[in-house]
Amino acid sequence: MLDAGRTETLLEVNNIEVIYNHVILVLKGVSLSVPLGGITALLGGNGAGKTTTLKAISNLLHSERGEVTKGSIVYRGERVQDLDPAALVRKGVIQVMEGRHCFGHLTIEENLLTGAFTRRDGKAAIERDLEMVYDYFPRLKERRKSQAGYTSGGEQQMCAIGRALMSRPETVLLDEPSMGLAPQLVEQIFQIVKAVNEGEGVSFLLAEQNTNVALRYAHYGYILESGRVVMDGLAADLRENPDVKEFYLGMSDDGRKSFRDVRSYRRRKRWLA
Amino acid sequence: MDGAMRTYRNDEKEGAVSDTGYITADGRQIGGTLMELRNITLKFGGVVAIKDISFDIREGEIRAIIGPNGAGKSSMLNIISGFYTPSEGELWYKGAKRPPMKPYEVARMGIARTFQNIALFEGMSVLDNVMTGRLTHMKAGIASQALWWGRARDEEIANRAVVEKVIDFLEIQAIRKTPVGRLPYGLKKRVELARALAAEPSMLLLDEPMAGMNVEEKEDMSRFILDVNDEFGTTIVLIEHDMGVVMDLSDRVVVMDYGKKIGDGPPDEVRNNQDVIDAYLGVAH
Amino acid sequence: MLYRTAGQFKTSYQADQALFPVRQDAVLLAIILAFAWGGLPLLASEFAFQTLLIPILIYSLAALGLNLLTGFAGQLSLGTAAFMGVGAYACYKMVTLMPWMNPVVAILLSGGFSAGVGVAFGIPSLRIKGFYLAIATLAAQFFLVWLFEKWGWLYNYNASGAIQVPNLTMFGIYVSGPQADSRVQYYVVLAVVMLMTWMCINLTRGTLGRTWKATRDMDIAAELIGINLMRSKLTAFAVSSYVVGVAGALFVFMWRGAAEPNLFDIPLSFRILFIAIIGGLGSVMGNYLGAILIVGLPVVLGTVPEALGIPISSATVEHLNVMIVGALIVFFLIIEPHGLARLWALIREKLIIWPFPH
Amino acid sequence: EGLSTPNLAYRTGPFAATGIPLMNGQADYMAMLNARDGGIGGIPIDFFECETGYSTEKGVECYEKTKSNAIVSQPWSTGITLQVLPKTNVDQIPILASGYGFSPMADGKVFHWAFNTPLSYWDGASIILKYIKEMGDLSGKKVAFLHLDHPFGKEPLPYLEMKAESEGFELLPIPVGLKEMQNQSAQWLQVRRERPDYVIMWGWGAMNAGAITEAVKTKFPMDKMLGVWWSGHDADLRLVGEDGKGYKSVSWSFPNSDAPVMADVKKLVVDAGKSQTSPEEMDGVFYSRGLVISAILAEGITVAQEHAGKPDISPADLRWGLENLNLTQARLDELGLSGMVPPFSTSCANHTGHSGGWILEWDGAKFVKASDLIMPESEAISELETAKAREYAEANAPWPVNEDCQM
Amino acid sequence: MLNDIFIKPFIDMVEAPDFLLQVLWEGLVSGILYALIALGFVLIFRSSRIFNFAQGIMVVFAALTLVGLHAMGVPAWICVILTLGVMFLLAVTIERVVLRPLVGQPDIILFMATIGITLFLIGLGEIIFGGENKVMITEELGIPTDSVVLEPWGGLLILEQKDITAVIVAALLVVALLLFLNKTRMGRAIRALGDDHQAALSVGISLQQIWVLVWFIAGIIALVTGIAWGARAGVSFALEVIAYKALPVLMLGGLESITGAIIGGLLIGMMEKLFEIYWGQPLLGGNTETWFAFVLALIVLLFRPQGLFGERIIERV
Ligand SMILES: Nc1ncnc2c1ncn2[C@@H]1O[C@H](COP(=O)(O)OP(=O)(O)OP(=O)(O)O)[C@@H](O)[C@H]1O
Ligand SMILES: Nc1ncnc2c1ncn2[C@@H]1O[C@H](COP(=O)(O)OP(=O)(O)OP(=O)(O)O)[C@@H](O)[C@H]1O
Ligand SMILES: CC(C)C[C@H](N)C(=O)O
Ligand SMILES: [Mg+2]
Ligand SMILES: [Mg+2]
């Protein structure tokens, strides 16, 4: 396992603030760092600002009328927050968006090929990577000629991840890969993430609701609530934290709680003192 | 596998309203058959999304549908709510065969639903969204509405009261006037539920109500579902991928895979069904 | 701190549903109305009535009609002008066939005809969506204008092929035709527009309004929660065309005085669409703001070179005008795609929390 | 300051090509008067344009905008004329629509404030038919009437229909919509199918060029095609050059580069850089016609000033002036307009003057006169005028009718 | 009556087949021109879901620039190159000033913006070039202007060589575009962009680059259209109104289909001409071409809501 302290820092987010539509303040000073070759998880409830953080990094906020008003985002020592998304992709940072966002009218294979849009290393190399993606996701190979709009949720998620891999990224920002997927698939996708991480040396920053899985695969984690980082630490440590256990893993002192027993009133989180 | 299930099946007498029902593990009385799907097949061009599936839904129960992605779960829900018309098969509701219907007619029969990919009316406030759930209960004529007088106004106030109850129940008072476009995902899901509940349906279809939620939020959602089922006796059909939720909440589970039914029965039984483990769960939960 | 909503609590649903839950809004509106009824008519010149006041009101109403359909019910229409034409021609036929008819009643009735035609051309909306639907309204646009031209009965076989508004009286005063006084016409228009606006506000905030908005935002979901899309869309076409038709009748009877078929051609449709969009789709007030901008702007621009003493030929002024209007449309869309009404709402939001930035 | 004489011009849009030379001619004449004589009767002419683009809507706007101090208004479109006509009784400003407008405007008893000197469209149609008849019998012939689908184009219809009946020819109206002016293939296919003996054209703006090129393309015999005076623009014919040889157009004006007035305009306006015209345009039919129109207006002002006994006349004075025009050959020569317009006179009851017109023919490079002055058949026309004028007054009641007018 | 509607027109057609051919040919030629405009639309629509109303004025603008430059004494072929330069600048400007700030806005807003652009260009064009009708420099560009006269069945069929040229050029253009869209990296990116802006951005497709490219190609198409149409009817702002005809063509063919644009164009061109000649003129007083295309498209859409070749609308919940 990676030790965050010793490896090179790839991406650093310093105290950023994001405002939508000039009035809605969503991120209120978020800082985090992603080490080279690691899987870093960004956890937190709905509306905590995970997606916003990822989009701030990949510079996709602009088209949603959001902007980073404070702080800085540094990738390999270089300030990147004024680049356009394409330039960032060329630098090796690519995002897999929440909700998959496949190109519905393109076939699966065409979708994958668009992932290689920024690449200049020739047809053969792209062809090779296509095979690599098909190796990781055999299911995609079966459906390569189908229009993405008609494939199932899981296939679309695979397609989106595969598409990102086609850009030969160094860092992948992965937003909620597990959403809406069957348990087996979730496991499978995380396995693939792990395999890609280890096999190709790609670093991941992933936003997840499914804390359970995320903390099993990640090395380091940040917990975000209402636009602030409220806790961070090694994944293993976080798993043992009692608050995380209760609120994110659904564990009570005596094992997993039943969803039938949640009607009793809830406790307050300790960090919201 | 069949032995246990037969107890729950109701396919002996055609169109019979009800037999006696059954008692759940935690002691609730489940009524007779509310809806029965018989040999449903659904095709899209060459693709067979659902293949000859039959099952029933009983009054007051929480009926889960699970299965891998693309198994045809949402399509099944769409058939129930009239959005898709099955290529083959019949649908019996409250003891009568349901003729082909427009979705809005189905909704008016008391079947409300939520959607897998949130389908709220983004341009409206939370309150208005929930009010749309009550449209089926509002009958004022256009003149009355234009003048804001008489029936239109009375209805507006009466239905607003109902809606406020739902809002209180789901604890979304604070965002009443917020445009839904600005809400985070979890709250949107809750608003969607509110909209469905506002219709006071006798049957509620929930398509992955907890996708994209963390445990805390899932707990909330579970609480709402249980309360609705409990307090109003609403029958609930639930599609969900979180096995914890499914196992804890549902009374009976249908398992689908590639458009076929591979299991049907109480949660405990289903989770030990080898077909289900192979196709869906991966490991026993 | 002027615009404080804190402290204004609502204790009943009825109070919460009042037209102006915020006191300041009601006060502002009262001032505007007092000005419209009392102040302006005293101050304004004939020129102002003819080039600003009357057209702004009529265009607002037409845009409101379109907004009901496009902004509230989400059905794009590029045929507004033709539906205005139906209103105008219907009104013309009514007053020439039945000269005893009260002109205002005729104007209000003429909307009924355009409602009928609107519904007919709205039927395709049940199957066709988005830009494709624009074709249905464009078909209406081009077909109706053609019909106005070819069907002599519609314009009483006038030599000019145009309809000429007769001199009509109400309570012994000329309200239309060359003999009518601008001030009188202004009051008639103001009254009709106010009445229609009030009714439209009621419709949009009630059941029908929610039905429309649901249809607009996501028609599949709307149908699945129990909305009869056919009814929803067709009522939108009907009500919208009604309002547009009345605006068309006002347009010709209370303002232009005459109209040839070309008047109702597509540029007018676009103009009204501009007003609705610049004002803000899905807003009632926006139509007024949009009309003030789109109608007022050229008038103001037209006076600029003269005021500055720059000698530009009238043709160049005209071209510059077109250019500037085009540029401004783009400009306004960029600063606030949701229109002036949204801009106002944002300002309001800022005012409410003022002096705190967030 | 001076006498405010707005002109509802168009220098833009699909009608600009034909509009510009006319507007230039008008403006230059007035500029010449201002430069040479300090205006008319010592008071300068404030001649200014309001751009209408030939759109009726814009035109009415322009009329309203410019009417405040105006002593006259020139709508430059039959459509606009028709729409402002009912307002004239209220506004009491004369409308000068030289060679266009509503033909019954000739009846001054009904249309007190409108003038269409020196020739109306019915007159024009009558001259064309007369000319055709000279070439051979009309009865049993088929005459296509290719016209702009606009009040202007429909204007001669009542007269033509009447004649079709009395002369026994078949009239085939072919409308050209504003949107199809430049692409008249459907209309010319119809011509090809119907094989008419003559095509009479009431075209304007881009429609002219469109029709003439199509005619050449479909090989319609050019000498069987005759246009109204607005369809005889040199530039339109220059497009087809030699191929257009034989095309004819009726006209009540004719360019005369040697006329004294042309020299004055050239010296005082064009050479002084105060004009937008070009030498080529100045020799054309339309420029000189614009000039003549301004001269008619100027003459009206002169007459009015003499009558009112003051230079600073009112609109009502000008109306008197326009009703009492007497442009004899001598007076025309005096004004330096020799050969540019036939003599005519107006009266309280006759607002047109019915000057008569020439048939011009395109010789491959320019228009030349192909006939002597032909007079319209006044009797039949004036009957129709009176009838239609009465009809109009009734439809627009209350409408004052002045029965006291002397002939 | 029934005879006039259902029998006589067909008898007329059979009796004068050369005339029928001429009608069809005229329809075909105008159809090609509608189709060319529609092509410009389709390209932009595919890449951005922008319904580019300005395509019509771009045609006018391109043609005017070409003719205007030539009037200044520039040789014809250099004019073409310079005009392409102007169209490129126009594309860059539109992208920078209008599209970039409006990324991600609803379709109708972008549609409105293109109407704004249209107005702006009309004003600008009239100021620069003046409103008069101008003659296309057909011969200078080396386009043959003679006509081919055929005599089928002893009748008469006149085909203008410039029309024949237009037909050939249009066909080549379509093939080139189809290859470009379906077989190249850029083409794929263009299609991807049309499906999902955000996702396209996220994989590093540069909106700016693609939009400039697409608008520039639309500009090239506009120039070709301008030359072809200008050669027929002269160049003036009235040309702009034929852009409206491209709308039904698009709808009939399907908004995102190149093939659809071409087939739709031909179909509408020929059908409206046939209808006008055999039904419109004799029975309805003529001028039916103003609306026939729209009604035809509407009827087709009632049966195929996405047009003949449009992409199937994916509707799922
Ligand atoms: N385009 C936008 N305009 C306005 N507010 C927005 C916009 N996008 C997001 N927000 C708001 O920003 C906050 C953070 O949203 P974000 O999507 O980053 O949360 P998240 O942590 O990713 O949540 P989820 O788990 O639901 O995806 C939410 O309150 C949301 O309502
Ligand atoms: N409108 C449609 N047209 C064509 N195919 C469709 C349509 N709707 C669904 N399908 C296909 O039917 C199959 C079942 O889809 P469905 O959405 O019902 O799956 P699901 O079980 O809900 O999956 P998930 O868990 O991913 O939501 C899929 O293969 C899908 O591609
Ligand atoms: C010169 C113009 C006034 C002629 C124009 N075609 C008309 O309306 O009569
Ligand atoms: Mg998120
Ligand atoms: Mg599903």
Side-chain angles (χ1 to χ4, degrees), chain B residues 4 10 17 23 84-85 118 132 141 166 172 178 200 202 252:
Chain B
N10 179 35
V17 178
I23 305 210
Y84 291 158
T85 323
I118 299 172
T132 57
V166 174
I172 46 177
T178 320
E200 298 179 281
S202 48
R252 287 191 299 158

Side-chain angles (χ1 to χ4, degrees), chain B residues 111-131:
Chain B
I111 298 180
R113 67 172 290 176
T114 67
F115 301 86
Q116 179 168 8
N117 300 309
I118 299 172
L120 282 172
F121 307 123
E122 299 268 323
M124 294 192 242
S125 68
V126 169
L127 182 62
D128 272 340
N129 263 285
V130 183
M131 283 292 275

Side-chain angles (χ1 to χ4, degrees), chain E residues 23-31 34 263-276 292:
Chain E
V23 171
L24 288 174
W25 170 253
E26 295 294 327
L28 181 96
V29 174
S30 39
Y34 300 156
I263 297 192
L266 297 183
L267 214 60
I268 280 186
M270 299 203 281
M271 299 277 280
E272 74 173 11
K273 206 63 93 189
L274 277 180
F275 183 81
E276 168 75 8
F292 180 78

